[in-house]
Amino acid sequence: MRQQILQAVSSDCSKSRLIYASTFRHADRTCKGKMELVPGSDDVRISSPGVKLTYDDFVQFPDDGKRHELIDGEHYVTPSPNRKHQRVSGNLYLMIGAWLEAHPIGQIYFAPFDVIFSMFDVVEPDLLYLSNERAARVLTDANVKGAPELVIEIGSEGTRGRDETIKRRLYERSGVAEYWIVDPEIDVVRVYRRGANSFGRPLELSAESNDTLTTFLLPGLSLPLSRIFRL
């Protein structure tokens, strides 16, 4: 259902709340008691100076087939993925999932599945991996409340910059052990691995070079990039 986000604004912006109705797509927060429509785009960002959205706001976002995320209290919207994105995501899920069937040391999940790092940081990675030990601490039926060991984002024209900057910084400071950025446009995977307190320099692998991706998190698993990007 198409929905409209209306905002009831008091004289104190911190007391504002989101209310949903039908007709428009999104409404921006203001402190002037007016509703402003945010035009549709591939990457919609709804924000208000001095006001951060929280998980309580996040759960009220419309179920419209798009990916809604909060990063530092800012609302980001990503359109539903294209065919190539889905094939690459499916390839990774099936290969890792098949390995875990034979070596049941953890669990892999695909979007949409909320990862809650804080009340201001809620994301839906394309894929995530949790060891059984980590899952026992952070996995619930509804979401993940804490850092997965592995996060995989499959980039697109609208998300590539965000994946490489604000999402990378979020995963880095939240304790993710390994972060893969998969680029289906050039058949490249960039791997960030945690050092002592931060990610080290990324390792870049490519299908053109016949590279194979491995990870200490899943010892013995080999992922040829030619299979990851196979359509």
Side-chain angles (χ1 to χ4, degrees):
M1 178 185 297
R2 299 183 64 206
Q3 296 189 332
Q4 176 186 17
I5 302 174
L6 302 180
Q7 182 180 17
V9 184
S10 68
S11 58
D12 181 358
C13 234
S14 66
K15 298 179 181 177
S16 59
R17 292 292 184 268
L18 294 177
I19 306 169
Y20 286 88
S22 60
T23 304
F24 297 105
R25 187 178 177 191
H26 290 289
D28 198 8
R29 293 181 165 223
T30 76
C31 295
K32 300 178 181 179
K34 296 180 180 179
M35 182 185 72
E36 296 180 3
L37 296 181
V38 177
S41 68
D42 286 341
D43 181 9
V44 180
R45 177 174 177 175
I46 304 176
S47 63
S48 178
V51 177
K52 291 185 177 183
L53 301 182
T54 70
Y55 186 69
D56 289 338
D57 298 308
F58 176 86
V59 297
Q60 299 299 323
F61 293 152
D63 185 9
D64 55 6
K66 298 180 176 62
R67 183 191 302 189
H68 294 260
E69 298 179 298
L70 287 183
I71 303 176
D72 195 25
E74 296 286 352
H75 180 196
Y76 295 87
V77 183
T78 306
S80 55
N82 62 27
R83 182 184 68 87
K84 190 170 185 179
H85 178 289
Q86 290 292 74
R87 286 300 300 267
V88 170
S89 178
N91 291 343
L92 281 164
Y93 180 81
L94 290 172
M95 285 190 287
I96 297 173
W99 189 89
L100 288 171
E101 285 287 325
H103 308 83
I105 63 172
Q107 305 167 43
I108 185 168
Y109 294 93
F110 54 85
F113 194 43
D114 298 346
V115 177
I116 305 173
F117 291 113
S118 75
M119 65 184 298
F120 302 114
D121 298 293
V122 186
V123 294
E124 293 183 355
D126 287 303
L127 295 161
L128 64 92
Y129 166 77
L130 297 161
S131 67
N132 292 331
E133 293 77 12
R134 180 68 62 87
R137 297 196 301 270
V138 303
L139 182 64
T140 75
D141 288 339
N143 48 47
V144 176
K145 295 182 177 179
E149 279 109 330
L150 170 64
V151 170
I152 305 172
E153 296 284 8
I154 301 172
S156 65
E157 184 176 354
T159 67
R160 190 172 293 112
R162 185 162 76 245
D163 292 340
E164 291 277 9
T165 54
I166 61 173
K167 273 197 169 180
R168 176 181 55 79
R169 291 192 291 266
L170 171 63
Y171 296 147
E172 184 174 44
R173 70 175 180 263
S174 299
V176 171
E178 201 160 301
Y179 175 36
W180 302 354
I181 301 177
V182 181
D183 193 333
E185 294 304 313
I186 55 176
D187 293 356
V188 161
V189 179
R190 278 177 289 282
V191 178
Y192 289 89
R193 293 190 171 115
R194 178 166 296 279
N197 299 303
S198 61
F199 289 147
R201 293 176 61 87
L203 170 68
E204 185 164 298
L205 306 172
S206 72
E208 185 178 15
S209 299
N210 294 316
D211 290 329
T212 296
L213 175 57
T214 61
T215 172
F216 72 94
L217 297 169
L218 302 166
L221 172 66
S222 295
L223 299 171
L225 267 68
S226 59
R227 291 188 61 192
I228 291 175
F229 294 109
R230 183 172 60 192
L231 301 180

